[in-house]
Amino acid sequence: MEVIITREDQIGELVAEEIAALIARKPNAVLGLATGSSPLRIYDAVAARVASGEFSLAHASAFTLDEYVGLPDGHPCGYRTVIEEDFVSRVDLPTEAVQGPDGGSSDLDGACASYEEAIRKAGGVDLQILGIGTDGHIAFNEPGSSFASRTRPKTLTAQTRRDNARFFDGNIDAVPVHCLTQGLGTIMEARHVVLVATGEGKAEAVKHLVEGAVSAFWPGTILQHHPHVTVFVDDAAASKL
Ligand code: GLP
């Protein structure tokens, strides 16, 4: 695990460099996209570079990590809508080349199995962007998630629902209780994982991620066993290292 401590405004550019290098050697690369505030600077930097003609995502494809269960199609907080607005609509990545788990399906287990199959058929994820929750979750793999887990339905913890209430006008009751999420085993198959964490609120999770014992109670710690992980943190998120 490589840990890079740098200014928050540098992180987006550094990750955009990684993506540019990947596209240069593999124009049809498969990206793994994360929602949340952590990757926004990355998406800004990539959008600027694509707009300037430095590289193109026209032949790339992407998979998102997770989705709430039960939000109506097109709900502004649905991760499909969020990733479309935050990233896909700003670059030349074709909308139909971006897939996410279907949290509106009447057969959630079937939707999870099809999603795993789609990732497999695409040849797996080349570069997975990740944030981390204050409780150490990655995607929506909450504490206690199995390291071998695949895409599946999960129940969100009270902490995550509190953290994410800010996207639902501060109303925790509006935050769904369930989600579909790629498993830790799914995420571990990405060829390169880039995790971004900024701000003091992430310092405890980053301490466990980088220096803690590998434990299902801090799900991100499984990444210590991944052969190619780059962690980008600012001073505040690195303050407990
Ligand atoms: C959410 C998402 C994760 C994200 C994390 C951190 O619950 N499911 O994919 O990484 O929480 O979010 P943020 O970057 O907004 O702090």
Side-chain angles (χ1 to χ4, degrees), residues 140-146 152-156 177-181:
F140 270 138
N141 292 284
E142 298 284 24
S145 293
S146 160
R152 69 213 184 287
K154 282 290 281 182
T155 303
L156 297 172
V177 175
H178 297 108
C179 64
L180 302 185
T181 180

Side-chain angles (χ1 to χ4, degrees), residues 12-13 15-17 19-20 23 31 33 39-57 83-93 129:
E13 292 303 330
V15 180
E17 287 288 336
I19 294 175
I23 296 294
L31 301 175
L33 303 176
L40 293 179
R41 302 267 185 148
I42 301 173
Y43 298 151
D44 289 344
V46 171
R49 284 166 189 243
V50 169
S52 75
E54 184 187 323
F55 66 90
S56 165
L57 296 175
I83 209 68
E84 189 68 34
E85 277 174 12
D86 288 349
F87 186 58
V88 182
S89 62
R90 304 168 63 199
V91 293
D92 57 354
L93 183 60
I129 296 167

Side-chain angles (χ1 to χ4, degrees), residues 35-38 66 79 131-132 137 139-140 160 164 166-167 202:
T35 44
S37 40
S38 305
D66 43 18
Y79 281 173
I132 188 164
H137 73 244
F140 270 138
T160 297
N164 288 4
R166 68 191 195 278
F167 298 113
K202 298 293 173 70

Side-chain angles (χ1 to χ4, degrees), residues 81-214:
T81 311
V82 170
I83 209 68
E84 189 68 34
E85 277 174 12
D86 288 349
F87 186 58
V88 182
S89 62
R90 304 168 63 199
V91 293
D92 57 354
L93 183 60
T95 298
E96 62 279 8
V98 181
Q99 298 185 58
D102 181 5
S105 172
S106 54
D107 171 14
L108 294 174
D109 288 334
C112 291
S114 328
Y115 196 56
E116 285 280 331
E117 180 59 11
I119 297 172
R120 194 192 61 76
K121 268 198 186 143
V125 171
D126 291 299
L127 187 149
Q128 175 65 59
I129 296 167
L130 283 184
I132 188 164
T134 55
D135 61 1
H137 73 244
I138 53 176
F140 270 138
N141 292 284
E142 298 284 24
S145 293
S146 160
F147 288 156
S149 53
R150 312 301 304 190
T151 304
R152 69 213 184 287
K154 282 290 281 182
T155 303
L156 297 172
T157 60
Q159 174 70 53
T160 297
R161 292 182 68 234
R162 271 195 298 276
D163 286 347
N164 288 4
R166 68 191 195 278
F167 298 113
F168 291 79
D169 296 327
N171 177 12
I172 188 170
D173 295 330
V175 183
V177 175
H178 297 108
C179 64
L180 302 185
T181 180
Q182 283 190 32
L184 294 171
T186 319
I187 294 168
M188 284 292 283
E189 286 172 6
R191 286 181 272 282
H192 182 191
V193 174
V194 172
L195 186 146
V196 181
T198 56
E200 216 183 324
K202 298 293 173 70
E204 188 69 15
V206 167
K207 180 181 154 207
H208 283 274
L209 170 75
V210 177
E211 296 176 350
V214 175

